[in-house]
Amino acid sequence: MNKNLSLLALTGTLALGGFVGYGLNERSNAQVTPNSPTTVQTSVTNPSATTYDNGRARTEAEANTVQVVKQRQNGLVYISVTEGADNSAEAQMRRRLQDQYGFPIPEGGEARTGTGSGFFVNAAGDIITNNHVVEGASEITIRLHGSKRTYKAKVVGRAPDFDLALIRAEGLPAGAIQPIPLGDSAKLDVGLKAIAMGAPFGLDFSVSEGIISSLERTAPVGTRQVYQQVIQTDAAINPGNSGGPLLNSAGDLIGVNTQILTGGSGQSAGVGFAIPVNTVTKLLPQLQAAGGKVVQTPTLGVGFTDLSALSDEDRQKAKLPAAGALIQQVYPNSPAAAVGLKGGTGNSLSLNTPGQATDSVYTDGDIITAIDGQAITEGEDLRRLILGKRIGDSIKLTVQQGGKKRDVTVKLQAFTLPTDQ
């Protein structure tokens, strides 16, 4: 199999390497306070020119990059995973993930290996990486920067819906754990420096630099491919960078390298994406408490049609609003069923909207127009807002039916959709 996604391709596979990232509940107090670079006056061609880092860096920007890399390089971790035999549960899981992400799968019945990146997030030795790097692996080992010694690692928790995992290694020597402090992705600006570290194509300890290209991007993340906020950067990211850190000029973590827009080439085209550090901060406590299991995320338990994707003609014909989630089905025993949300049962509308997967929709179901006062402008808003909640949270849905509006309070629970859906 040799299939490439034409647009977004996760840069992580056993054959080529992995991406990954998320994690941290506590923000480290250790702040990078770069030492003032040594200034040396040159007297060769330009006596007034200044150099930095004992004359090796010609600009202040160079000196900053060098200093950040030196201070954070020992927080980087190289991850290797081994997949079991072809008939094992791990191998079947890996094949499913590789097929989903569009990467070639080696033939043969032998155990297969792959690589990815990760980094320490606290003094306890917790390591963040992508879920797709470690899911289905029968064995995980890590190496530290500058060392060939390997250490066995185990999964502490996985968050497949965010493509994040937390692992911990056994027997690390004292002083080997050097966590990377967490920044604040809410304080970023387009144009700020971005430094990516990892092992692209298995090349240990590679560094690339660029800028934050956009803070207005969403991309499908995790096993359910829910569109989530990501940081766009032009720092080169390639297979093997998965799970590696994206740093700012202070050496703080601002994101976890996770995807690239390949344009069909399977390699970096200057458009990479990272999961924001604030998502990592939010998820870390749940990953730490997972006990080796999966961090569950709530599901409302409905099937719906995105009204914003319908044509004006279709919406006007059915007297539907311009935006919202038109419920087609409510699954039994789901949180939605518990509060009496209704799916469609009749008034079927034949669609004239090009590109729609279904030929018709029911128009008499409830329409969710807002969650906690935040308008549903497109269908992905509903999935993203629900995903951002935790099990046990209560949310207020604004629901419209037959021209009348009402508010419904739903207590979110873990709910698995039927496998045939």
Side-chain angles (χ1 to χ4, degrees), residues 4-9 11 260-269 271:
N4 288 320
L5 297 180
S6 61
L7 291 178
L8 279 172
T11 59
I260 56 174
L261 190 67
T262 67
S265 67
Q267 301 178 20
S268 174
V271 181

Side-chain angles (χ1 to χ4, degrees), residues 11-214:
T11 59
T13 92
L14 286 180
L16 299 177
F19 270 112
V20 184
Y22 276 101
L24 275 281
N25 73 330
E26 55 185 355
R27 182 172 181 177
S28 171
N29 290 325
Q31 298 296 323
V32 179
T33 53
N35 298 323
S36 299
T38 302
T39 300
V40 179
Q41 297 291 336
T42 61
S43 58
V44 181
T45 58
N46 187 357
S48 63
T50 56
T51 61
Y52 303 84
D53 193 21
N54 294 319
R56 286 177 290 188
R58 301 292 298 183
T59 68
E60 191 171 358
E62 284 183 326
N64 172 257
T65 302
V66 169
Q67 193 163 43
V68 167
V69 171
K70 287 181 177 179
Q71 290 178 322
R72 298 300 176 227
Q73 60 189 5
N74 291 331
L76 187 63
V77 172
Y78 309 118
I79 301 172
S80 297
V81 297
T82 301
E83 170 188 292
D86 276 354
N87 60 352
S88 69
E90 291 84 359
Q92 294 174 24
M93 177 71 74
R94 179 62 63 181
R95 284 195 295 271
R96 179 180 65 79
L97 290 172
Q98 289 179 323
D99 185 60
Q100 174 183 344
Y101 294 143
F103 286 93
I105 302 174
E107 300 296 333
E110 301 178 355
R112 295 187 285 270
T113 61
T115 61
S117 303
F119 55 94
F120 291 116
V121 294
N122 56 30
D126 290 334
I127 299 167
I128 287 294
T129 190
N130 284 134
N131 175 69
H132 73 256
V133 170
V134 298
E135 184 174 5
S138 59
E139 183 180 77
I140 305 171
T141 59
I142 71 158
R143 287 187 300 107
L144 305 180
H145 173 249
S147 173
K148 294 185 180 298
R149 182 177 176 181
T150 61
Y151 302 89
K152 289 187 177 181
K154 63 180 182 180
V155 172
V156 177
R158 296 190 296 108
D161 285 333
F162 298 93
D163 196 22
L164 292 176
L166 188 70
I167 64 175
R168 188 175 295 161
E170 304 170 356
L172 291 175
I177 300 170
Q178 298 190 29
I180 295 178
L182 304 183
D184 184 352
S185 49
K187 296 181 178 179
L188 298 178
D189 288 309
V190 173
L192 290 177
K193 179 186 288 188
I195 302 171
M197 295 198 300
F201 302 111
L203 300 175
D204 289 358
F205 190 60
S206 294
V207 178
S208 59
E209 178 181 305
I211 62 170
I212 296 173
S213 303
S214 178

Side-chain angles (χ1 to χ4, degrees), residues 11 46 61 86 94 136 145 161 181 218 229 237 242 273 289-290 305 337 339 341-342 344 354 372 386 398:
T11 59
N46 187 357
D86 276 354
R94 179 62 63 181
H145 173 249
D161 285 333
T218 59
Q229 206 72 35
I237 297 173
S242 291
F273 301 111
T305 293
V339 296
L341 290 180
K342 301 297 183 182
D372 291 334
I386 294 294
T398 301

Side-chain angles (χ1 to χ4, degrees), residues 103-412:
F103 286 93
I105 302 174
E107 300 296 333
E110 301 178 355
R112 295 187 285 270
T113 61
T115 61
S117 303
F119 55 94
F120 291 116
V121 294
N122 56 30
D126 290 334
I127 299 167
I128 287 294
T129 190
N130 284 134
N131 175 69
H132 73 256
V133 170
V134 298
E135 184 174 5
S138 59
E139 183 180 77
I140 305 171
T141 59
I142 71 158
R143 287 187 300 107
L144 305 180
H145 173 249
S147 173
K148 294 185 180 298
R149 182 177 176 181
T150 61
Y151 302 89
K152 289 187 177 181
K154 63 180 182 180
V155 172
V156 177
R158 296 190 296 108
D161 285 333
F162 298 93
D163 196 22
L164 292 176
L166 188 70
I167 64 175
R168 188 175 295 161
E170 304 170 356
L172 291 175
I177 300 170
Q178 298 190 29
I180 295 178
L182 304 183
D184 184 352
S185 49
K187 296 181 178 179
L188 298 178
D189 288 309
V190 173
L192 290 177
K193 179 186 288 188
I195 302 171
M197 295 198 300
F201 302 111
L203 300 175
D204 289 358
F205 190 60
S206 294
V207 178
S208 59
E209 178 181 305
I211 62 170
I212 296 173
S213 303
S214 178
L215 296 170
E216 301 177 358
R217 296 287 178 263
T218 59
V221 174
T223 55
R224 287 194 286 172
Q225 295 288 277
V226 177
Y227 275 74
Q228 301 172 42
Q229 206 72 35
V230 293
I231 298 169
Q232 180 184 330
T233 179
D234 65 348
I237 297 173
N238 285 290
N241 277 116
S242 291
L246 187 70
L247 308 174
N248 63 11
S249 60
D252 293 334
L253 181 77
I254 59 174
V256 180
N257 302 320
T258 187
Q259 299 182 22
I260 56 174
L261 190 67
T262 67
S265 67
Q267 301 178 20
S268 174
V271 181
F273 301 111
I275 297 166
V277 64
N278 287 6
T279 304
V280 175
T281 302
K282 178 180 178 180
L283 283 173
L284 186 57
Q286 299 174 63
L287 289 167
Q288 291 173 318
K293 299 180 180 180
V294 169
V295 173
Q296 291 186 308
T297 52
T299 301
L300 191 58
V302 300
F304 65 88
T305 293
D306 178 5
L307 291 181
S308 69
L310 300 185
S311 67
D312 291 339
E313 179 185 354
D314 284 339
R315 289 196 299 267
Q316 291 171 5
K317 185 188 303 181
K319 298 181 180 179
L320 295 170
L326 173 60
I327 298 177
Q328 297 295 293
Q329 182 177 4
V330 176
Y331 295 99
N333 304 315
S334 67
V339 296
L341 290 180
K342 301 297 183 182
T345 58
N347 299 330
S348 179
L349 170 68
S350 296
L351 297 178
N352 292 318
T353 303
Q356 290 299 302
T358 56
D359 294 328
S360 62
V361 297
Y362 293 121
T363 62
D364 59 341
D366 286 333
I367 302 171
I368 302 174
T369 59
I371 294 181
D372 291 334
Q374 186 168 346
I376 303 298
T377 59
E378 59 181 11
E380 283 298 331
D381 290 341
L382 177 62
R383 302 177 69 201
R384 182 165 53 249
L385 290 171
I386 294 294
L387 188 66
K389 302 295 182 179
R390 298 182 61 171
I391 303 297
D393 285 350
S394 292
I395 60 171
K396 184 178 73 173
L397 301 180
T398 301
V399 180
Q400 177 178 325
Q401 214 286 330
K404 297 180 180 179
K405 290 187 178 182
R406 69 185 191 277
D407 289 333
V408 179
T409 299
V410 181
K411 186 174 183 179
L412 296 174

